[in-house]
Amino acid sequence: MTSERTKLDAMGTLRRSHGCGQIDRSCVGEEVVVAGWAHRRRDHGGVIFVDLRDQGGLVQVVFRPETSTEAHERAGDIRSEWVILARGVVEARSAETVNAKMATGEVEVNVHELRVLNSASPPPFPIEEEAGADESVRLKHRIHDLRRPPLQRALAVRDALSRAMRQSLSSQGFMDIETPMLARATPEGARDFLVPSRMHPGSFYALPQSPQIMKQLLMVSGFERYYQIARCFRDEDQRADRQLEFTQVDLEMSFVGVEEVLAVLEKTTRDGCLGAAGVELPEPFPRMSYSEAMDRFGCDRPDTRILLELVDMTDLFSTSGFKAFKGVVDKGGIVKCLPVHDADGISRSEIDRLESFVRKELGARGLGWIRIAEDGEWRSPIVKFLTEEERAAIAERSEARPGSLLFFQADVADKANAILSRLRIDLGEKLGRVDGRDWDVLFVVDFPLFERDDKGQLTYVHQPFVAPLEEDIPLLETNPEAVRGTHYDVVMNGTELGSGSLRNHRADIQRDILRALGYSEEQMQQSFGFMLDALELGAPPHGGFAFGFDRMVMVLAGADSLRDVVAFPKTQRGQDLLLEAPSPVATDQLDELSIRVRLPKPE
RNA sequence: GGGGCGGUAGUUCAACUGGUUAGAGCACUGGCCUGUCACGCCAGAAGUUGCGGGUUCGAAUCCCGUCCGCCCCGCCA
């Protein structure tokens, strides 16, 4: 490489005196020593300019033969990302040469001595605000990508948030306690990452999906306020907001009800957002019930800055002659509408595009729509199936007027809501139907404890340890589906930052719940025996929460993907393209673990 | 597991319906240049068109398979 042809210098005793970004008018006349990476180089033959970059900023250093022949000569070799140390005098730039686009653009460093500390191969993409490169290239060359300002900023937000939340929790009396990374495999929930035990051939540890069980055991142990910034692992498919390994700010507290936990959450969230990004959140946080969120927004983590709302019309179609919708209602489905007023901006071809989008991406059966023209006429493929009375009812409920465009979904509730919720967000953002606030935080409360899966079996909505509301405990035996849980979410800008609940501290209630979920006594003992046993050792009432720390950074840093707020993220297929993990291992290593690999047979 | 979009030089992209030697910007290399700041000018090098197979006189282009990246459903809380 270039380094073979370039003689590199040692630092010697020369040390940095200023960060590049610190150099300003007040330094004029001073001798300074700056160090960093050659961001850009402009060689005019006689005079050479280098924009020198360190973590704190950028400053122009100048090499002139009349200042130092030797430094000027060596500066001719400098290329992008070379590492240099330069001693020189800060000079004010003349009025014509001031660069207003640069924070340090009023000054420059006239270099007397240059030490080339390292050369570098050329970066595969420019180290700029916008990478302008495909994400796989960025991930493969993560070291260069991490030099870019957006990632530098995101990791700084991450650090600040971590510090602010630790400080907040510490001031509220929480104690940081670490829990094991080598834990026990669990049959419930997500797939575990397994770690083979050398000393116990055939047995495995599991990396924790969360410290959930362990923090409950700490409550039983008498640590009344626990917290931890914990790494969690789930071997499930990736999304923009889901990585295989991620970080939770995990906390748990004893002798509290929902209100005390929410108060801690509110303070911790406020302190975190303020400390990490200077964001001031309202006090108290608004609250919304799960059913209201689903009803109005079709989503349990609504971004309430978007002004569009859904309208339920299920009852209107239960007796309708419009068979497509009535049939859905007869089978227990719902019909909901997303009214968009003053929708002239949405063309017919845009509607077609939306329809094909919801069909392809979201599995919709179709997209019903009605446009009310300026002359009041209804233009729609479905209007011919509707009676006068139905039209009047639809118009009244959707507050339709000339210029309105109504979108319909008739399907099982989850799907209809998911589709309209997505349309609401897309159209709301595209049409600018937003209230103008930068930050939108709310608590979503009153989740049900159970739901039916597609086989009709009762399953838990969140996790099996969520405590029911005290007054609903009798319903566990008689009408479990009506039991309300003590679960709550914190939602910010349409992203679920985290969730928590009160937990079952009484073994008998925990057993009742597991029984309702269809566990036999044996299965209960096998899967949750140690937990049930622990609850009989003097478990205090307790509850807690876990923030999705990475998601919180993502929201505060304005990033679209977790990969932009994690230093070394994995791809959607779970690979680290820089370190090339996962990788096969040597047979020796496997032998020691008593493991033989049996690869799936190719077709 | 399923659906969608994409994969051409280091990189970002182009190459009409299959048709000569696959082009351009940036980056890179060499040269020139004393006030640039996305410096400029001149010259140059750079390609297994992701991979494998097929159709064809002829494939970056059409077909099949496969790998990789991203988005989504399932999955995950």
Side-chain angles (χ1 to χ4, degrees), chain A residues 103-269:
Chain A
T104 59
E106 287 188 282
V107 293
E108 63 194 11
V109 178
N110 187 22
V111 178
H112 290 255
E113 182 183 359
L114 168 67
R115 298 195 182 178
V116 177
L117 303 181
N118 221 336
S119 59
S121 50
F125 49 82
I127 313 301
E128 301 282 343
E129 184 71 25
E130 301 287 335
D134 192 74
E135 187 152 11
S136 59
V137 176
R138 289 175 46 205
L139 289 172
K140 190 166 177 183
H141 302 275
R142 190 62 171 177
I143 293 163
H144 286 113
D145 206 25
L146 284 168
R147 290 177 178 171
R148 292 174 45 241
L151 292 189
Q152 296 258 329
R153 284 196 299 268
L155 293 185
V157 168
R158 199 177 169 103
D159 167 61
L161 180 62
S162 160
R163 203 152 2 94
M165 291 182 88
R166 278 184 190 283
Q167 211 159 45
S168 177
L169 286 165
S170 175
S171 77
Q172 296 176 77
F174 285 81
M175 188 194 287
D176 182 358
I177 304 175
E178 290 167 279
T179 54
M181 300 295 273
L182 295 175
R184 188 187 202 284
T186 50
E188 293 300 309
R191 294 184 187 91
D192 287 317
F193 278 101
L194 297 176
V195 181
S197 164
R198 174 179 58 84
M199 287 183 279
H200 300 273
S203 286
F204 295 80
Y205 302 97
L207 303 182
Q209 298 177 20
S210 79
Q212 179 64 36
I213 288 169
M214 289 175 282
K215 72 179 175 181
Q216 287 193 247
L217 301 184
L218 287 171
M219 291 301 106
V220 184
S221 305
F223 293 95
E224 295 185 21
R225 289 190 164 208
Y226 141 94
Y227 89 98
Q228 180 182 195
I229 298 190
R231 198 60 77 79
C232 307
F233 305 85
R234 289 175 194 164
D235 188 5
E236 295 293 343
D237 287 0
Q238 317 277 296
R239 286 285 193 288
D241 61 352
R242 272 161 40 187
Q243 283 272 303
L244 293 181
E245 53 180 309
F246 60 100
T247 305
Q248 283 187 348
V249 178
D250 191 48
L251 62 94
E252 195 79 4
M253 51 206 292
S254 304
F255 301 110
V256 290
V258 169
E259 287 308 320
E260 290 76 17
V261 184
L262 292 182
V264 167
L265 286 187
E266 195 167 305
K267 177 165 175 50
T268 310
T269 307

Side-chain angles (χ1 to χ4, degrees), chain A residues 281-299:
Chain A
L281 296 176
E283 194 173 8
F285 290 178
R287 295 188 190 187
M288 186 179 294
S289 73
Y290 168 78
S291 58
E292 183 183 349
M294 292 306 291
D295 197 42
R296 291 172 56 194
F297 308 107
C299 173

Side-chain angles (χ1 to χ4, degrees), chain A residues 331-537:
Chain A
K331 283 191 211 134
I334 62 167
V335 179
K336 276 178 107 168
C337 171
L338 174 69
V340 182
H341 304 301
D342 305 312
D344 294 342
I346 304 177
S347 66
R348 178 59 207 269
S349 65
E350 179 69 6
I351 295 174
D352 290 344
R353 201 194 59 77
L354 288 172
E355 171 157 15
S356 93
F357 167 75
V358 297
R359 275 179 189 276
K360 279 185 184 167
E361 294 272 311
L362 306 174
R365 299 185 205 185
L367 178 64
W369 58 272
I370 296 170
R371 186 196 283 284
I372 292 105
E374 289 305 329
D375 59 11
E377 190 196 336
W378 287 35
R379 308 235 169 83
S380 159
I382 62 174
V383 74
K384 58 178 174 278
F385 302 110
L386 305 174
T387 64
E388 276 303 319
E389 293 73 29
E390 285 165 347
R391 288 176 51 172
I394 289 169
E396 189 196 346
R397 206 170 289 185
S398 64
E399 296 175 8
R401 55 178 192 251
S404 295
L405 182 54
L406 314 178
F407 293 103
F408 290 85
Q409 278 297 306
D411 212 315
V412 292
D414 285 354
K415 204 159 161 187
N417 277 320
I419 291 162
L420 288 177
S421 166
R422 177 66 178 270
L423 278 184
R424 169 182 172 266
I425 295 166
D426 287 359
L427 290 173
E429 284 174 353
K430 179 175 276 185
L431 301 173
R433 304 294 165 83
V434 291
D435 67 10
R437 288 177 300 146
D438 287 330
W439 305 100
D440 173 46
V441 71
L442 76 156
F443 283 128
V444 179
V445 297
D446 294 340
F447 283 84
L449 197 58
F450 302 118
E451 63 187 355
R452 297 270 174 203
D453 66 18
D454 33 357
K455 294 177 197 116
Q457 169 61 44
L458 220 54
T459 71
Y460 50 83
V461 174
H462 293 97
Q463 38 115 326
F465 309 124
V466 175
L469 284 183
E470 284 180 16
E471 62 264 38
D472 287 359
I473 291 174
L475 295 172
L476 276 176
E477 303 226 357
T478 54
N479 184 12
E481 267 178 284
V483 176
R484 288 166 294 169
T486 51
H487 182 97
Y488 32 83
D489 281 355
V490 173
V491 175
M492 192 157 154
N493 291 9
T495 296
E496 183 195 312
L497 290 189
S499 62
S501 70
L502 298 185
R503 329 294 184 186
N504 296 303
H505 69 284
R506 275 171 48 183
D508 58 335
I509 294 175
Q510 184 67 69
R511 281 179 203 280
D512 287 345
I513 286 170
L514 291 172
R515 205 170 295 121
L517 291 168
Y519 283 84
S520 68
E521 294 298 326
E522 296 75 47
Q523 290 169 323
M524 239 183 253
Q525 205 52 39
Q526 197 180 355
S527 298
F528 301 105
F530 57 97
M531 180 63 122
L532 292 167
D533 291 347
L535 293 182
E536 283 169 349
L537 303 177

